[in-house]
Amino acid sequence: MMMLRASTDAAIPNPSTDAAAAARSILEEFVAAVVGDDPDRADAARATIVDQLGSDWLIDTAAVVANFEMMTRLADATGACLTPGRIEAAASIRAQLGLDAFPSARR
Amino acid sequence: MPATEVSEIPIRPDLVAAQAEAWRHVTSPGASWTGDERRAMAQIALAALDDTEPLPPWASPTQTGRAMPGAELLPDAAVDAVYLIARHAATLTGDWYRTQLARGIDPFAYVEMVGVVVAAAAVDGFFRSVGLERPALPPVVAGAPHGHHPEVEAAELNWVPVAVPADQQAAVVQGLSAAPAEWDNVKQLAAAQYVPVDEMGELAWSRGTLSRADMEFVAARLSAARECFY
């Protein structure tokens, strides 16, 4: 399926180069900063993306953030559930990441 | 900011167009709600997202007397539900959904309301992330709700009713199927924000910036930050 399902279905390889790993680190900090409540941290994260990756990356990363601000609410407000097969298949990674502790896991 | 100010960075035309279309959509009549009512929902959702002292998930604007823009146009139950979906979606439960029905929100109207809130969250999310002022909602398109709804049935994979046949698609896809125009709006936004539908199966697809794997990485980090189990 698409969007949130694709987020878990798509194989996300480990970055194979130092540059790719650095980019992932920048993206990780950007997401953490823009969902937080520290405007200075968010400004710094935007500046880092623009300086290190380019202004197009800022736009395209913010667009992906926007998409999942949309899709997470869609899933949670419509009570979207995983099939039993997917629940079973993801048991170990859920435990590893602590996903069962999310309030939205109570369904 | 560094040498390049964010305000000087051009936004892709397809993204600008998708956001403008979303804004037109949420201020136009739907199947169950007028354009005035839908605009009021978007205003409340945006106010909830802007709230610097947000209500906790167990409180509501109407219980606490928190003023919300456009609230006078909506039933109290809708005001409260919009605020909670916008601000605390991860805390929602099936019992909470059934309470909304008991408070008088029709299931079709509920699903349409979700569509309005998620579109508002998308446009807000982009401008909040990029650090630019969010565009204002456009004026309302006058007219009555059209009242046309698809045939629906109960689903195993969602609390909300979905278009028949249920459970043939992923839960997040069928979630808005009782309000198909809302799903169409989500799809057109997703095509500009993330990946066009017809490219969804192409894991090497990219706009030339983030790889598909980078997009999924951002999606996963955002979903975890929002504590979205799905």
Side-chain angles (χ1 to χ4, degrees), chain A residues 43-55:
Chain A
D43 276 345
R46 291 181 197 108
T48 300
I49 283 205
V50 171
D51 285 351
Q52 301 295 315
L53 302 174
S55 57

Side-chain angles (χ1 to χ4, degrees), chain A residues 9-30:
Chain A
D9 290 345
I12 302 177
N14 290 324
S16 56
T17 67
D18 289 347
R24 287 282 171 85
S25 178
I26 291 168
L27 296 176
E28 182 173 20
E29 169 56 16
F30 177 79

Side-chain angles (χ1 to χ4, degrees), chain A residues 30-66:
Chain A
F30 177 79
V31 175
V34 299
V35 302
D37 54 7
D38 181 345
D40 291 338
R41 183 182 178 189
D43 276 345
R46 291 181 197 108
T48 300
I49 283 205
V50 171
D51 285 351
Q52 301 295 315
L53 302 174
S55 57
D56 289 352
W57 278 73
L58 174 64
I59 298 300
D60 289 349
T61 307
V64 177
V65 167

Side-chain angles (χ1 to χ4, degrees), chain A residues 59-106:
Chain A
I59 298 300
D60 289 349
T61 307
V64 177
V65 167
N67 199 68
F68 287 88
E69 293 283 20
M70 175 175 74
M71 297 309 297
T72 52
R73 288 172 175 81
L74 193 166
D76 286 333
T78 63
C81 300
L82 298 174
T83 61
R86 284 197 178 275
I87 292 276
E88 178 71 21
S92 63
I93 195 165
R94 288 199 330 268
Q96 185 181 347
L97 299 177
L99 304 186
D100 289 333
F102 285 0
S104 59
R106 286 191 230 113

Side-chain angles (χ1 to χ4, degrees), chain A residues 1 5 7 24 28 46-47 51 57 60-61 63-67 69 73 76-81 102-105 107, chain B residues 2 12 86 89-90 110 122 128-131 157-159 170 173 190 193 209-210 213-214 216-217 221 226-227 229-230:
Chain A
M1 212 329 297
R5 287 271 43 79
S7 300
R24 287 282 171 85
E28 182 173 20
R46 291 181 197 108
D51 285 351
W57 278 73
D60 289 349
T61 307
V64 177
V65 167
N67 199 68
E69 293 283 20
R73 288 172 175 81
D76 286 333
T78 63
C81 300
F102 285 0
S104 59
R107 296 204 176 97
Chain B
R12 282 188 275 114
Y110 175 85
R128 192 176 299 276
S129 298
V130 84
L157 298 178
N158 296 84
W159 306 324
V173 176
Q193 294 171 157
T209 54
L210 290 82
D214 289 331
E216 301 305 333
F217 179 79
R221 299 305 302 182
R226 295 297 178 225
E227 298 191 322
F229 181 79
Y230 185 86

Side-chain angles (χ1 to χ4, degrees), chain B residues 94-209:
Chain B
D95 285 345
W96 174 84
Y97 168 68
R98 289 182 283 277
T99 300
Q100 306 318 300
L101 303 187
R103 292 183 74 186
I105 302 181
D106 171 81
F108 287 111
Y110 175 85
V111 174
E112 183 177 328
M113 181 174 69
V114 172
V116 171
V117 175
V118 303
V123 177
D124 174 79
F126 175 79
F127 285 93
R128 192 176 299 276
S129 298
V130 84
L132 294 174
E133 185 177 353
R134 186 177 60 216
L137 288 163
V140 165
V141 175
H146 59 69
H148 301 305
H149 305 294
E151 182 182 355
V152 296
E153 62 184 349
E156 291 290 327
L157 298 178
N158 296 84
W159 306 324
V160 297
V162 301
V164 294
D167 300 325
Q168 301 302 302
Q169 305 179 91
V172 75
V173 176
Q174 69 176 10
L176 293 183
S177 60
E182 306 313 311
W183 178 238
D184 288 345
N185 190 42
V186 163
K187 282 195 296 186
Q188 69 91 20
L189 275 168
Q193 294 171 157
Y194 175 52
V195 180
V197 170
D198 57 359
E199 301 285 355
M200 199 62 68
E202 178 48 72
L203 296 184
W205 188 86
S206 169
R207 289 189 169 85
T209 54

